[in-house]
Amino acid sequence: MSSTREQPISAHSDVSGVTPDGAAWLASAGTYPRSTLALWEERPDAPVVLPCGSTFDVVGAPAVFGRRMVDRLWAEGPGSGPVAAFRGRMLLFAAPGTAQRLPSLLHWEEFGRTGAIPPLLCHGTGDAVTVPAPMAAGGGSPGRPDSRWLVAPDTRRPWLPGPEILLWAAVRAARAAVRISIFPPADLGAKVYDVSRRR
């Protein structure tokens, strides 16, 4: 079992990079894994475009909502697989096949129809994503704050959540964001009388 799954996200929030086994796993998604690893040996701070669908799928969420999903996965669920922040979106690495199944699950779930869950971009077979560099630029200090690993791959076979787990996390994150009140909204134009001074 991967140590990524055993520790809360707070333990991974300042990770500087991917382990060699994690880099090998990421590179295995591409057509030429040895070329990808050679590039990273020469330039470990270089982001790379990798295909989805065989080694992993990726679910992209707006940064704030994605962070809520990851927090739910760690606080109440089984944990997450690798997670990266890239250009204002959270990239949750998922089991292959998730990108095909998750949209229909979201459509079926009532939260998907009400708009409480923002659009999630599901990348699967035929898609590719840019993943952050395995090592932060400058030997540990983030080179690009908009491109970094929050939960870095650390094994050749990381645990990856499937569509049902990500649906659960999205619904929980949406419920946490919605304020529920039993009172109707206040009428801002209503006249208010002070009845505390009755005789």
Side-chain angles (χ1 to χ4, degrees), residues 31-131:
T31 307
Y32 304 105
R34 284 192 225 162
S35 297
T36 302
L37 290 172
L39 170 68
W40 279 336
E41 281 184 30
E42 186 178 317
R43 295 189 52 215
D45 59 344
V48 173
V49 176
L50 293 173
C52 301
S54 61
T55 304
F56 54 76
D57 282 0
V58 173
V59 175
V64 173
F65 189 80
R67 182 59 189 230
R68 284 189 195 129
M69 284 178 65
V70 173
D71 287 345
R72 291 292 173 210
L73 285 166
W74 283 107
E76 302 171 22
S80 72
V83 178
F86 191 79
R87 293 188 178 168
R89 292 193 71 82
M90 200 71 69
L91 305 179
L92 290 87
F93 285 70
T98 299
Q100 182 179 6
R101 185 133 189 265
L102 184 59
S104 60
L105 291 175
L106 286 168
H107 181 71
W108 174 79
E109 176 62 45
E110 68 180 70
F111 278 92
R113 291 190 298 271
T114 62
I117 296 176
L120 301 178
L121 302 178
C122 298
H123 305 281
T125 303
D127 298 325
V129 294
T130 302
V131 299

